[in-house]
Amino acid sequence: MIKTKQAIYLASKSPRRRKLLEQVNLVFKVVPVDTPEVFGKKERPANAVRRIALEKLYAAKEIIKDGIIITADTIVVIKGKIIGKPLDNNDAVRMLKQLSGKTHIVYTGFSVYNSVTDKTITDYEKTYVTFRKLNGEEIKDYVKTGSPLDKAGAYGIQDDYGAVFIKKINGCYYNVVGLPLTKVFQTFLRII
Amino acid sequence: MIKTKQAIYLASKSPRRRKLLEQVNLVFKVVPVDTPEVFGKKERPANAVRRIALEKLYAAKEIIKDGIIITADTIVVIKGKIIGKPLDNNDAVRMLKQLSGKTHIVYTGFSVYNSVTDKTITDYEKTYVTFRKLNGEEIKDYVKTGSPLDKAGAYGIQDDYGAVFIKKINGCYYNVVGLPLTKVFQTFLRII
């Protein structure tokens, strides 16, 4: 679907992002980058995810000299407050209780860079996600699976429990998984 | 997640529905049923999918004597017109051209039956799906993969091409795949 002779690199440690790009038949290599994900107190979510995606890109460019690089960052925002990944199981339980019965917003910022043209496109997508009311037992059972720990907002919409926690979404589904595929695809077409 | 000593049967030929129920760790057997999917000219979509889900249930009850049975039917509605599965590749191209750049509605009706209590719950879910503008080439390329042929509306949101055709959805994602997991899960809890 994406045709280029250049090497493509996904600079991300997220196994979800790798799977999503594989789903659309992209041929690419994974290069994990380590960038602190710290948010300014009054920073707007759409700015925060684009800034962090860019910071990941700068880190990736230190390692990768030629090719197309893609980076991304996903956060959850509830009542104007940015939520990243939970610190531990207790934090995950607290986060899921906060999301229960309410609508939050998932933001993913992403950067795509082409070393040949030296062009960078940075963009973001947001999706509204509405949880049904959860009970304490199912939250506990889900946290026990270990899955919430490496996920912003402590859930994966593609998980067993995650799938039956969500009543509706409004926006791009794949954005909630970790990468807004349609927008990323269209960005690729503009940059290759 | 669902605990019962009764046998559970998915009466459906759809491999997507099987995968979705596996995703939420349900233990079940698949029993394919053959029911004609014919829609009345002035039949409302929400009624049509529930009627067909029930017809599939009646067919399934001829084969399965004891246990919990689940059936479902998915259709696509654009400009008030019901669209089922395409007849052939040309029909698939025509359907995708019709969906391009527009919002349509996906309806899934489902029935859950418990032979012990003789109770049946029939319900439906609807999700709004907005396609970006597609070009003729990508429609042709997608139809060539063969995937559109067995799908209502000639696309799968979980497909390679399907994933990058859709700009946004409003409602349950899994409903678009073929079974509204959250609603089905809650129905199971009411019936077991």
Side-chain angles (χ1 to χ4, degrees):
Chain A
M1 293 161 71
I2 300 280
K3 282 159 198 144
T4 172
K5 282 179 181 159
Q6 289 179 265
I8 299 175
Y9 298 92
L10 168 65
S12 170
K13 288 185 290 189
S14 160
R16 269 95 55 203
R17 294 204 180 102
R18 200 186 61 218
K19 254 182 117 173
L20 286 177
L21 290 183
E22 284 167 357
Q23 184 185 330
V24 295
N25 308 320
L26 202 74
V27 179
F28 62 95
K29 293 190 186 81
V30 176
V31 178
V33 286
D34 238 326
T35 314
E37 295 173 12
V38 184
F39 313 108
K41 243 196 163 170
K42 292 201 169 172
E43 194 175 16
R44 291 175 54 188
N47 293 341
V49 287
R50 281 180 293 188
R51 176 182 56 76
I52 293 175
L54 267 176
E55 285 173 6
K56 288 182 178 176
L57 178 65
Y58 299 147
K61 281 162 83 174
E62 295 291 319
I63 310 165
I64 306 152
K65 293 305 171 193
D66 284 299
I68 292 164
I69 305 172
I70 173 162
T71 64
D73 189 61
T74 300
I75 58 172
V76 161
V77 176
I78 184 155
K79 289 183 191 168
K81 245 196 92 189
I82 295 179
I83 295 179
K85 299 181 181 88
L87 300 169
D88 53 29
N89 279 356
N90 287 337
D91 201 30
V93 169
R94 191 189 55 79
M95 282 183 182
L96 288 165
K97 278 185 180 160
Q98 215 183 333
L99 301 180
S100 168
K102 295 206 177 63
T103 298
H104 63 269
I105 315 177
V106 176
Y107 286 84
T108 298
F110 63 91
S111 276
V112 186
Y113 167 76
N114 186 338
S115 68
V116 168
T117 54
D118 200 35
K119 194 175 162 185
T120 305
I121 299 177
T122 303
D123 204 348
Y124 78 100
E125 184 70 273
K126 69 172 175 176
T127 304
Y128 294 82
V129 179
T130 305
F131 268 50
R132 65 170 169 82
K133 270 229 171 275
L134 309 178
N135 62 53
E137 205 187 341
E138 55 192 351
I139 288 179
K140 230 175 52 194
D141 286 346
Y142 181 34
V143 170
K144 248 192 250 164
T145 67
S147 181
L149 275 189
D150 72 333
K151 295 181 181 70
Y155 76 93
I157 189 171
Q158 70 287 353
D159 280 352
D160 43 3
Y161 285 89
V164 298
F165 281 1
I166 291 161
K167 229 160 81 176
K168 56 168 279 173
I169 71 167
N170 192 349
C172 174
Y173 165 77
Y174 295 108
N175 183 44
V176 185
V177 183
L179 207 57
L181 283 181
T182 297
K183 219 166 195 177
V184 166
F185 176 78
Q186 290 178 301
T187 305
F188 261 108
L189 293 183
R190 281 167 59 203
I191 214 162
I192 59 172
Chain B
M1 294 161 73
I2 301 280
K3 282 159 200 148
T4 171
K5 281 179 183 161
Q6 290 180 265
I8 300 175
Y9 297 91
L10 168 65
S12 169
K13 288 185 291 189
S14 160
R16 269 96 54 203
R17 293 204 181 103
R18 201 186 61 218
K19 255 183 116 171
L20 287 177
L21 288 183
E22 284 167 358
Q23 182 185 331
V24 295
N25 307 322
L26 202 75
V27 178
F28 61 96
K29 292 190 185 81
V30 176
V31 177
V33 287
D34 237 324
T35 315
E37 296 172 12
V38 184
F39 313 108
K41 244 196 164 171
K42 291 199 171 176
E43 194 175 17
R44 291 175 54 188
N47 293 340
V49 287
R50 280 178 294 188
R51 176 182 54 77
I52 294 175
L54 267 176
E55 284 172 7
K56 288 181 177 175
L57 178 65
Y58 299 146
K61 281 163 82 174
E62 296 292 318
I63 311 164
I64 306 152
K65 293 303 168 195
D66 284 300
I68 292 165
I69 305 172
I70 172 162
T71 63
D73 189 61
T74 300
I75 58 172
V76 161
V77 176
I78 185 158
K79 289 181 191 169
K81 246 197 93 189
I82 294 178
I83 295 178
K85 298 184 181 87
L87 300 168
D88 53 29
N89 279 356
N90 287 337
D91 201 30
V93 168
R94 189 190 57 77
M95 282 182 182
L96 288 165
K97 278 186 180 161
Q98 214 183 336
L99 301 180
S100 168
K102 295 206 177 63
T103 298
H104 63 269
I105 316 177
V106 177
Y107 286 83
T108 299
F110 63 91
S111 276
V112 186
Y113 167 76
N114 186 338
S115 69
V116 168
T117 54
D118 199 34
K119 193 175 160 186
T120 304
I121 300 178
T122 303
D123 203 349
Y124 78 99
E125 183 70 273
K126 69 173 175 175
T127 305
Y128 293 81
V129 179
T130 306
F131 268 50
R132 65 169 169 83
K133 270 230 169 274
L134 309 178
N135 62 53
E137 206 186 342
E138 56 192 350
I139 289 179
K140 230 176 53 193
D141 286 345
Y142 181 35
V143 171
K144 247 191 251 166
T145 67
S147 181
L149 275 189
D150 71 333
K151 294 180 181 72
Y155 76 93
I157 191 172
Q158 70 288 355
D159 280 352
D160 45 1
Y161 285 89
V164 298
F165 282 0
I166 291 160
K167 231 161 78 177
K168 58 169 277 170
I169 71 167
N170 192 349
C172 174
Y173 166 77
Y174 295 108
N175 183 44
V176 185
V177 183
L179 208 57
L181 284 181
T182 297
K183 219 166 195 175
V184 166
F185 176 78
Q186 290 177 301
T187 305
F188 261 108
L189 292 184
R190 282 169 58 204
I191 214 161
I192 59 173

